[in-house]
Amino acid sequence: MDTKELLKKVRKIEIKTRRLSDHIFGGEYHSTFKGRGMTFSEVRQYQFGDDVRSIDWNVTARYNEPYVKVFEEERELTMMLMVDVSGSELFGTTNQFKKEIITEISATLAFSAMQNNDKVGLILFSNEVELFIPPKKGKSHVLRIIRELLEFVPQSHETNISEAFKFLRNVMKKKAIVFMLSDFIAEGYDNTLRIAGNKHDVTGIRIYDEKEEYIPNLGMIQVQDAETGGIQLVNTSSKKVRHEYWKYHLERVDYFNDAFAKSGSGVLSCRVDESYVKKLLGYFKRRG
């Protein structure tokens, strides 16, 4: 992708997702993810309806009239986006790949954090961590994250979610809001997820294609594994084959839901042809 084309794509993503974060998700994000607590701001004269427990007795005694302490939310938070860049994300049977939806959701979340003056960081992973961008504030930083999401070429096509959570544990010493975006066609990450969930506010966003749920009857076809590159013939006219395909998908989904539930983390599943806007809003409102 040349520089001109890349900038054009970044701008397109920015316009679409910035509008969503400004008008829809900014307030929902703020009310869903709270700051670290309340900090003292100032004192002012008591007004009818103020909580008497907030009266500052020292100032009240000095001026012979009631004054109250005013507190404000200590708002600054850190968001970490953990994005799966393995080969299976380059799959889609409608008008978009899973990777494109993941990029749009990531950009929307990043702009929502930016709007609330929070830091945003990025971890791109396959079967290892391929790129780490430390959390920072600002529009230029968010645009850099979007550029990486659009143009990054991973070294590996395989997936290891557990390795990504281990890396998170090593680099994020303070509590963060963590969104992992993947198709979660994997297992073996429940223990590292549980450790991450004990420290961070973790949400798994599963993006999938309808053909990953059910394989249509197309007769004998040649299929290729996007992560290993292996090719084999599959008889899709066989009911047993289609049932095993559906069963495999269901087992991965059950593992995903169960692992995140046991770790106390949130989950959100969105098919590529569904509205991720509605899905995100619904999730934020439930959390809020």
Side-chain angles (χ1 to χ4, degrees), residues 5-236:
E5 184 184 357
L6 175 62
L7 291 174
K8 190 176 178 181
K9 286 195 172 187
V10 170
R11 182 60 179 159
K12 186 178 178 181
I13 291 283
E14 180 191 1
I15 291 170
K16 181 175 182 178
T17 59
R18 183 74 181 269
R19 189 183 302 122
L20 289 173
S21 62
D22 286 351
H23 298 296
I24 301 175
F25 295 114
E28 295 293 343
Y29 169 87
H30 183 96
S31 61
T32 301
F33 302 104
K34 304 297 183 183
R36 290 187 293 243
M38 306 298 288
T39 56
F40 174 75
S41 175
E42 61 179 346
V43 292
R44 61 166 172 77
Q45 284 183 301
Y46 177 86
Q47 298 173 0
F48 180 76
D50 284 340
D51 190 338
V52 295
R53 291 174 295 183
S54 64
I55 291 176
D56 186 321
W57 295 107
N58 290 329
V59 178
T60 297
R62 191 182 308 149
Y63 291 101
N64 280 325
E65 57 180 316
Y67 276 77
V68 294
K69 294 178 181 178
V70 178
F71 294 86
E72 60 183 22
E73 184 184 0
E74 191 179 356
R75 179 55 233 178
E76 184 180 293
L77 299 171
T78 297
M79 176 192 288
M80 181 58 66
L81 298 169
M82 302 180 70
V83 176
D84 184 351
V85 291
S86 62
S88 61
E89 306 310 327
L90 290 170
F91 179 78
T93 59
T94 55
N95 58 348
Q96 282 186 300
F97 290 143
K98 288 183 282 184
K99 178 185 176 181
E100 294 174 289
I101 301 298
I102 285 173
T103 298
E104 288 189 19
I105 293 175
S106 298
T108 301
L109 292 170
F111 278 123
S112 296
M114 186 193 81
Q115 187 180 340
N116 284 279
N117 202 34
D118 293 340
K119 295 179 182 178
V120 188
L122 178 68
I123 294 172
L124 299 182
F125 69 93
S126 54
N127 62 346
E128 61 184 9
V129 171
E130 302 251 4
L131 177 71
F132 171 55
I133 299 179
K136 282 178 63 177
K137 295 182 181 181
K139 180 181 175 182
S140 62
H141 180 69
V142 170
L143 292 178
R144 182 199 168 189
I145 285 174
I146 295 172
R147 285 197 301 272
E148 294 292 353
L149 288 166
L150 284 170
E151 73 167 351
F152 187 82
V153 179
Q155 296 296 308
S156 171
H157 295 297
E158 298 181 19
T159 310
N160 191 324
I161 291 172
S162 186
E163 282 299 313
F165 279 128
K166 286 179 185 176
F167 183 85
L168 176 74
R169 181 177 64 199
N170 292 330
V171 297
M172 296 302 295
K173 302 303 181 185
K174 294 182 180 179
K175 181 178 180 179
I177 299 165
V178 178
F179 289 97
M180 176 174 275
L181 297 97
S182 171
D183 52 22
F184 289 94
I185 305 176
E187 289 186 335
Y189 56 83
D190 53 329
N191 287 331
T192 49
L193 168 58
R194 178 176 46 79
I195 294 168
N198 286 336
K199 184 174 184 179
H200 304 291
D201 187 334
V202 181
T203 298
I205 302 180
R206 184 176 69 92
I207 306 300
Y208 66 101
D209 187 274
E210 62 176 342
K211 294 300 186 292
E212 291 171 329
E213 294 181 279
Y214 306 100
I215 189 168
N217 184 350
L218 300 172
M220 189 70 75
I221 61 171
Q222 191 178 67
V223 295
Q224 181 177 29
D225 188 312
E227 300 199 356
T228 66
I231 297 173
Q232 67 181 92
L233 287 172
V234 177
N235 182 14
T236 61

